[in-house]
Amino acid sequence: MGNASDTSAVFTSTISKEHDILMGSLYSIFCIMSLLGNCILLLVAYHKRSTLKPAEFFIINLSISDLGMTLSLFPLAIPSAFSHRWLFGEITCQLYAMCGVLFGLCSLTNLTALSLVCCLKVCIPNHGNKFSSSHARLLVVGVWCYASVFAVGPLAQWGHYSPEPYGTACCIDWQAPNHKLSALSYIVCLFIFCYALPCTIIFLSYTFILLTVRGSRQAVQQHVSLQTKTTNAHALIVKLSVAVCIGFLGAWTPYAALAMWAAFGDATQVPPAGFALAAVFAKSSTIYNPMVYLLCKPNFRECLYRDTSMLRQMIYRGSPQSEPKERFGSTLQRNKDVSISTRFSNGQQEGYGSCLQCTDDVSLCHVTTPQRTACILTGSTYTEVTVSQLSAKPQADFL
């Protein structure tokens, strides 16, 4: 890329330090949210792995690609943004750009495959119901292979990776088509096969789904009567998939528009701050998938609630404050056991079983036998005596 001074100049930020600090702060927030959201989503998916539907494999794969982008890009982009320059050299710049292209294209291709599966299940249910988990796994592998072709291409001299126009990150060299034919062919193929075609397929798939549901409501109702729960689950997946697609495409479209402007227009007219803002929007795409599915999908939400309930119980049992409460609770229970007894007319209590302080050796336990009493009226005075003290023959002064 040139001598050391040229390299240093290329890796220096071209936007203000305040904008870099703002970008680093936003990246830090996205990183934390993406790590938490995607890890929780993968944990929930692991716990319900035996009941996963074929379409949900694409949700999991999307979460994996988002997590891969988070772990590979944010740890390098955040310190570089705060330092007002790229800190990690040219080789790391190439790997950083490759990871960004790989995980970004994998997410978009994954959403495209998900839209096709949803369309197949809703529009052609006879064939869609035959789509199994094995088919989903095979399609997921194809998604990664498809994205890998375009991610590895620049490393094989088809296209080129370079620092971003704003200087603190790396991606495809969008100005290269002005100088190299191979770079021009790479970007044209990238635009057609990795943006225009996937967006068209996604749009047409969900359009066909909408038309099928609206125009063939009676047929859909007949299908629902056969497999109500399964179809309802597929309908929910369709709705959530549409939400994720809108969020993802909304996040990446500004960057794609600026990239095409730089590739096929006058690259010097593209403001670096615009590229920086578009990059922030693009990286925010890593948080949409877990937010949508964890908040809106009932079975994911219920599984998450069970897991968090178990965690709260474990924390509560391990806390030092729980011991006095348990001791207090056992004391209340002991007092309650004492109070559950049979009362006689002399006010004594009879334990129901054995006394609470007894050991296994019954001879060590002394139980007082309750006595029945009677009241004797002598003149105007009452006297209480035990029944055993009364004579067999009644007396005149007995009451």
PDB file of all heavy atoms in Angstrom, residues 47-70:
ATOM      1  N   HIS A  47     -31.992 -24.824  24.353  1.00  0.00           N
ATOM      2  CA  HIS A  47     -32.870 -25.491  25.304  1.00  0.00           C
ATOM      3  C   HIS A  47     -34.109 -26.075  24.626  1.00  0.00           C
ATOM      4  O   HIS A  47     -34.666 -27.063  25.107  1.00  0.00           O
ATOM      5  CB  HIS A  47     -33.298 -24.512  26.399  1.00  0.00           C
ATOM      6  CG  HIS A  47     -32.210 -24.231  27.378  1.00  0.00           C
ATOM      7  ND1 HIS A  47     -32.293 -23.253  28.357  1.00  0.00           N
ATOM      8  CD2 HIS A  47     -30.976 -24.779  27.541  1.00  0.00           C
ATOM      9  CE1 HIS A  47     -31.172 -23.232  29.063  1.00  0.00           C
ATOM     10  NE2 HIS A  47     -30.358 -24.145  28.579  1.00  0.00           N
ATOM     11  N   LYS A  48     -34.550 -25.483  23.519  1.00  0.00           N
ATOM     12  CA  LYS A  48     -35.715 -26.009  22.812  1.00  0.00           C
ATOM     13  C   LYS A  48     -35.310 -26.660  21.492  1.00  0.00           C
ATOM     14  O   LYS A  48     -36.090 -26.687  20.535  1.00  0.00           O
ATOM     15  CB  LYS A  48     -36.748 -24.899  22.579  1.00  0.00           C
ATOM     16  CG  LYS A  48     -36.310 -23.775  21.671  1.00  0.00           C
ATOM     17  CD  LYS A  48     -37.367 -22.668  21.611  1.00  0.00           C
ATOM     18  CE  LYS A  48     -38.649 -23.119  20.978  1.00  0.00           C
ATOM     19  NZ  LYS A  48     -38.554 -23.388  19.546  1.00  0.00           N
ATOM     20  N   ARG A  49     -34.097 -27.192  21.435  1.00  0.00           N
ATOM     21  CA  ARG A  49     -33.565 -27.729  20.182  1.00  0.00           C
ATOM     22  C   ARG A  49     -34.376 -28.914  19.672  1.00  0.00           C
ATOM     23  O   ARG A  49     -34.429 -29.155  18.460  1.00  0.00           O
ATOM     24  CB  ARG A  49     -32.103 -28.130  20.376  1.00  0.00           C
ATOM     25  CG  ARG A  49     -31.870 -29.206  21.431  1.00  0.00           C
ATOM     26  CD  ARG A  49     -30.392 -29.372  21.723  1.00  0.00           C
ATOM     27  NE  ARG A  49     -30.120 -30.377  22.743  1.00  0.00           N
ATOM     28  CZ  ARG A  49     -30.189 -30.158  24.041  1.00  0.00           C
ATOM     29  NH1 ARG A  49     -30.541 -28.956  24.482  1.00  0.00           N
ATOM     30  NH2 ARG A  49     -29.933 -31.117  24.917  1.00  0.00           N
ATOM     31  N   SER A  50     -35.007 -29.660  20.562  1.00  0.00           N
ATOM     32  CA  SER A  50     -35.760 -30.838  20.114  1.00  0.00           C
ATOM     33  C   SER A  50     -37.084 -30.458  19.464  1.00  0.00           C
ATOM     34  O   SER A  50     -37.688 -31.287  18.780  1.00  0.00           O
ATOM     35  CB  SER A  50     -36.017 -31.769  21.307  1.00  0.00           C
ATOM     36  OG  SER A  50     -36.744 -31.087  22.318  1.00  0.00           O
ATOM     37  N   THR A  51     -37.539 -29.235  19.648  1.00  0.00           N
ATOM     38  CA  THR A  51     -38.828 -28.807  19.090  1.00  0.00           C
ATOM     39  C   THR A  51     -38.671 -27.716  18.035  1.00  0.00           C
ATOM     40  O   THR A  51     -39.649 -27.071  17.673  1.00  0.00           O
ATOM     41  CB  THR A  51     -39.744 -28.303  20.218  1.00  0.00           C
ATOM     42  OG1 THR A  51     -39.122 -27.191  20.886  1.00  0.00           O
ATOM     43  CG2 THR A  51     -40.027 -29.400  21.226  1.00  0.00           C
ATOM     44  N   LEU A  52     -37.450 -27.484  17.558  1.00  0.00           N
ATOM     45  CA  LEU A  52     -37.242 -26.435  16.568  1.00  0.00           C
ATOM     46  C   LEU A  52     -37.893 -26.809  15.238  1.00  0.00           C
ATOM     47  O   LEU A  52     -37.815 -27.945  14.797  1.00  0.00           O
ATOM     48  CB  LEU A  52     -35.741 -26.206  16.353  1.00  0.00           C
ATOM     49  CG  LEU A  52     -34.978 -25.488  17.463  1.00  0.00           C
ATOM     50  CD1 LEU A  52     -33.489 -25.463  17.145  1.00  0.00           C
ATOM     51  CD2 LEU A  52     -35.500 -24.075  17.663  1.00  0.00           C
ATOM     52  N   LYS A  53     -38.525 -25.818  14.620  1.00  0.00           N
ATOM     53  CA  LYS A  53     -39.110 -26.001  13.297  1.00  0.00           C
ATOM     54  C   LYS A  53     -38.052 -25.698  12.242  1.00  0.00           C
ATOM     55  O   LYS A  53     -37.094 -24.973  12.504  1.00  0.00           O
ATOM     56  CB  LYS A  53     -40.322 -25.093  13.134  1.00  0.00           C
ATOM     57  CG  LYS A  53     -41.413 -25.362  14.166  1.00  0.00           C
ATOM     58  CD  LYS A  53     -42.517 -24.358  14.055  1.00  0.00           C
ATOM     59  CE  LYS A  53     -43.567 -24.641  15.130  1.00  0.00           C
ATOM     60  NZ  LYS A  53     -43.034 -24.514  16.491  1.00  0.00           N
ATOM     61  N   PRO A  54     -38.214 -26.221  11.024  1.00  0.00           N
ATOM     62  CA  PRO A  54     -37.192 -25.994   9.983  1.00  0.00           C
ATOM     63  C   PRO A  54     -36.901 -24.520   9.737  1.00  0.00           C
ATOM     64  O   PRO A  54     -35.733 -24.135   9.563  1.00  0.00           O
ATOM     65  CB  PRO A  54     -37.805 -26.663   8.750  1.00  0.00           C
ATOM     66  CG  PRO A  54     -38.685 -27.733   9.297  1.00  0.00           C
ATOM     67  CD  PRO A  54     -39.239 -27.182  10.573  1.00  0.00           C
ATOM     68  N   ALA A  55     -37.931 -23.677   9.724  1.00  0.00           N
ATOM     69  CA  ALA A  55     -37.706 -22.253   9.463  1.00  0.00           C
ATOM     70  C   ALA A  55     -36.891 -21.593  10.570  1.00  0.00           C
ATOM     71  O   ALA A  55     -36.200 -20.599  10.332  1.00  0.00           O
ATOM     72  CB  ALA A  55     -39.043 -21.538   9.301  1.00  0.00           C
ATOM     73  N   GLU A  56     -36.959 -22.155  11.792  1.00  0.00           N
ATOM     74  CA  GLU A  56     -36.236 -21.553  12.908  1.00  0.00           C
ATOM     75  C   GLU A  56     -34.730 -21.798  12.825  1.00  0.00           C
ATOM     76  O   GLU A  56     -33.968 -21.126  13.523  1.00  0.00           O
ATOM     77  CB  GLU A  56     -36.801 -22.086  14.235  1.00  0.00           C
ATOM     78  CG  GLU A  56     -38.197 -21.577  14.511  1.00  0.00           C
ATOM     79  CD  GLU A  56     -38.803 -22.162  15.768  1.00  0.00           C
ATOM     80  OE1 GLU A  56     -38.369 -23.257  16.194  1.00  0.00           O
ATOM     81  OE2 GLU A  56     -39.728 -21.549  16.321  1.00  0.00           O
ATOM     82  N   PHE A  57     -34.311 -22.728  11.988  1.00  0.00           N
ATOM     83  CA  PHE A  57     -32.875 -22.923  11.786  1.00  0.00           C
ATOM     84  C   PHE A  57     -32.242 -21.672  11.159  1.00  0.00           C
ATOM     85  O   PHE A  57     -31.092 -21.347  11.437  1.00  0.00           O
ATOM     86  CB  PHE A  57     -32.621 -24.142  10.898  1.00  0.00           C
ATOM     87  CG  PHE A  57     -32.722 -25.456  11.618  1.00  0.00           C
ATOM     88  CD1 PHE A  57     -33.940 -26.105  11.753  1.00  0.00           C
ATOM     89  CD2 PHE A  57     -31.608 -26.035  12.191  1.00  0.00           C
ATOM     90  CE1 PHE A  57     -34.045 -27.314  12.421  1.00  0.00           C
ATOM     91  CE2 PHE A  57     -31.687 -27.246  12.863  1.00  0.00           C
ATOM     92  CZ  PHE A  57     -32.917 -27.883  12.982  1.00  0.00           C
ATOM     93  N   PHE A  58     -33.000 -20.987  10.320  1.00  0.00           N
ATOM     94  CA  PHE A  58     -32.476 -19.769   9.699  1.00  0.00           C
ATOM     95  C   PHE A  58     -32.398 -18.627  10.710  1.00  0.00           C
ATOM     96  O   PHE A  58     -31.518 -17.774  10.620  1.00  0.00           O
ATOM     97  CB  PHE A  58     -33.347 -19.384   8.506  1.00  0.00           C
ATOM     98  CG  PHE A  58     -33.378 -20.423   7.428  1.00  0.00           C
ATOM     99  CD1 PHE A  58     -34.434 -21.319   7.333  1.00  0.00           C
ATOM    100  CD2 PHE A  58     -32.338 -20.530   6.522  1.00  0.00           C
ATOM    101  CE1 PHE A  58     -34.465 -22.292   6.347  1.00  0.00           C
ATOM    102  CE2 PHE A  58     -32.351 -21.505   5.532  1.00  0.00           C
ATOM    103  CZ  PHE A  58     -33.407 -22.382   5.458  1.00  0.00           C
ATOM    104  N   ILE A  59     -33.304 -18.633  11.670  1.00  0.00           N
ATOM    105  CA  ILE A  59     -33.245 -17.632  12.749  1.00  0.00           C
ATOM    106  C   ILE A  59     -31.975 -17.839  13.570  1.00  0.00           C
ATOM    107  O   ILE A  59     -31.269 -16.883  13.916  1.00  0.00           O
ATOM    108  CB  ILE A  59     -34.494 -17.743  13.642  1.00  0.00           C
ATOM    109  CG1 ILE A  59     -35.758 -17.500  12.813  1.00  0.00           C
ATOM    110  CG2 ILE A  59     -34.412 -16.774  14.807  1.00  0.00           C
ATOM    111  CD1 ILE A  59     -37.044 -17.804  13.547  1.00  0.00           C
ATOM    112  N   ILE A  60     -31.675 -19.092  13.869  1.00  0.00           N
ATOM    113  CA  ILE A  60     -30.473 -19.406  14.635  1.00  0.00           C
ATOM    114  C   ILE A  60     -29.222 -19.057  13.836  1.00  0.00           C
ATOM    115  O   ILE A  60     -28.262 -18.487  14.368  1.00  0.00           O
ATOM    116  CB  ILE A  60     -30.476 -20.900  15.026  1.00  0.00           C
ATOM    117  CG1 ILE A  60     -31.673 -21.201  15.930  1.00  0.00           C
ATOM    118  CG2 ILE A  60     -29.178 -21.289  15.717  1.00  0.00           C
ATOM    119  CD1 ILE A  60     -31.902 -22.672  16.161  1.00  0.00           C
ATOM    120  N   ASN A  61     -29.237 -19.386  12.535  1.00  0.00           N
ATOM    121  CA  ASN A  61     -28.080 -19.066  11.701  1.00  0.00           C
ATOM    122  C   ASN A  61     -27.871 -17.563  11.588  1.00  0.00           C
ATOM    123  O   ASN A  61     -26.730 -17.075  11.580  1.00  0.00           O
ATOM    124  CB  ASN A  61     -28.276 -19.672  10.310  1.00  0.00           C
ATOM    125  CG  ASN A  61     -27.029 -19.577   9.456  1.00  0.00           C
ATOM    126  OD1 ASN A  61     -25.927 -19.894   9.904  1.00  0.00           O
ATOM    127  ND2 ASN A  61     -27.182 -19.128   8.220  1.00  0.00           N
ATOM    128  N   LEU A  62     -28.960 -16.811  11.528  1.00  0.00           N
ATOM    129  CA  LEU A  62     -28.849 -15.356  11.495  1.00  0.00           C
ATOM    130  C   LEU A  62     -28.241 -14.828  12.794  1.00  0.00           C
ATOM    131  O   LEU A  62     -27.421 -13.905  12.782  1.00  0.00           O
ATOM    132  CB  LEU A  62     -30.234 -14.747  11.264  1.00  0.00           C
ATOM    133  CG  LEU A  62     -30.312 -13.226  11.158  1.00  0.00           C
ATOM    134  CD1 LEU A  62     -29.462 -12.725  10.001  1.00  0.00           C
ATOM    135  CD2 LEU A  62     -31.754 -12.778  11.004  1.00  0.00           C
ATOM    136  N   SER A  63     -28.628 -15.430  13.901  1.00  0.00           N
ATOM    137  CA  SER A  63     -28.055 -15.022  15.174  1.00  0.00           C
ATOM    138  C   SER A  63     -26.562 -15.350  15.243  1.00  0.00           C
ATOM    139  O   SER A  63     -25.766 -14.574  15.792  1.00  0.00           O
ATOM    140  CB  SER A  63     -28.801 -15.716  16.325  1.00  0.00           C
ATOM    141  OG  SER A  63     -28.357 -15.261  17.576  1.00  0.00           O
ATOM    142  N   ILE A  64     -26.157 -16.486  14.665  1.00  0.00           N
ATOM    143  CA  ILE A  64     -24.734 -16.855  14.644  1.00  0.00           C
ATOM    144  C   ILE A  64     -23.933 -15.864  13.808  1.00  0.00           C
ATOM    145  O   ILE A  64     -22.844 -15.427  14.203  1.00  0.00           O
ATOM    146  CB  ILE A  64     -24.564 -18.293  14.115  1.00  0.00           C
ATOM    147  CG1 ILE A  64     -25.142 -19.295  15.117  1.00  0.00           C
ATOM    148  CG2 ILE A  64     -23.099 -18.605  13.845  1.00  0.00           C
ATOM    149  CD1 ILE A  64     -25.170 -20.720  14.603  1.00  0.00           C
ATOM    150  N   SER A  65     -24.456 -15.501  12.636  1.00  0.00           N
ATOM    151  CA  SER A  65     -23.738 -14.541  11.793  1.00  0.00           C
ATOM    152  C   SER A  65     -23.672 -13.159  12.445  1.00  0.00           C
ATOM    153  O   SER A  65     -22.649 -12.471  12.357  1.00  0.00           O
ATOM    154  CB  SER A  65     -24.398 -14.461  10.418  1.00  0.00           C
ATOM    155  OG  SER A  65     -25.711 -13.952  10.514  1.00  0.00           O
ATOM    156  N   ASP A  66     -24.747 -12.757  13.119  1.00  0.00           N
ATOM    157  CA  ASP A  66     -24.721 -11.472  13.836  1.00  0.00           C
ATOM    158  C   ASP A  66     -23.702 -11.501  14.977  1.00  0.00           C
ATOM    159  O   ASP A  66     -22.983 -10.517  15.204  1.00  0.00           O
ATOM    160  CB  ASP A  66     -26.106 -11.156  14.393  1.00  0.00           C
ATOM    161  CG  ASP A  66     -27.092 -10.753  13.308  1.00  0.00           C
ATOM    162  OD1 ASP A  66     -26.638 -10.389  12.215  1.00  0.00           O
ATOM    163  OD2 ASP A  66     -28.307 -10.808  13.559  1.00  0.00           O
ATOM    164  N   LEU A  67     -23.655 -12.626  15.678  1.00  0.00           N
ATOM    165  CA  LEU A  67     -22.686 -12.750  16.760  1.00  0.00           C
ATOM    166  C   LEU A  67     -21.263 -12.771  16.217  1.00  0.00           C
ATOM    167  O   LEU A  67     -20.342 -12.194  16.819  1.00  0.00           O
ATOM    168  CB  LEU A  67     -22.974 -14.024  17.563  1.00  0.00           C
ATOM    169  CG  LEU A  67     -22.245 -14.177  18.896  1.00  0.00           C
ATOM    170  CD1 LEU A  67     -22.605 -13.043  19.846  1.00  0.00           C
ATOM    171  CD2 LEU A  67     -22.592 -15.518  19.537  1.00  0.00           C
ATOM    172  N   GLY A  68     -21.053 -13.422  15.072  1.00  0.00           N
ATOM    173  CA  GLY A  68     -19.730 -13.416  14.451  1.00  0.00           C
ATOM    174  C   GLY A  68     -19.291 -12.025  14.048  1.00  0.00           C
ATOM    175  O   GLY A  68     -18.126 -11.640  14.246  1.00  0.00           O
ATOM    176  N   MET A  69     -20.212 -11.237  13.500  1.00  0.00           N
ATOM    177  CA  MET A  69     -19.878  -9.856  13.149  1.00  0.00           C
ATOM    178  C   MET A  69     -19.554  -9.042  14.398  1.00  0.00           C
ATOM    179  O   MET A  69     -18.613  -8.241  14.408  1.00  0.00           O
ATOM    180  CB  MET A  69     -21.047  -9.219  12.392  1.00  0.00           C
ATOM    181  CG  MET A  69     -20.810  -7.770  12.014  1.00  0.00           C
ATOM    182  SD  MET A  69     -22.134  -7.067  11.021  1.00  0.00           S
ATOM    183  CE  MET A  69     -21.833  -7.868   9.449  1.00  0.00           C
ATOM    184  N   THR A  70     -20.321  -9.271  15.458  1.00  0.00           N
ATOM    185  CA  THR A  70     -20.077  -8.533  16.707  1.00  0.00           C
ATOM    186  C   THR A  70     -18.693  -8.836  17.266  1.00  0.00           C
ATOM    187  O   THR A  70     -17.954  -7.923  17.663  1.00  0.00           O
ATOM    188  CB  THR A  70     -21.152  -8.909  17.742  1.00  0.00           C
ATOM    189  OG1 THR A  70     -22.440  -8.563  17.220  1.00  0.00           O
ATOM    190  CG2 THR A  70     -20.926  -8.176  19.057  1.00  0.00           C
TER     191      THR A  70
END
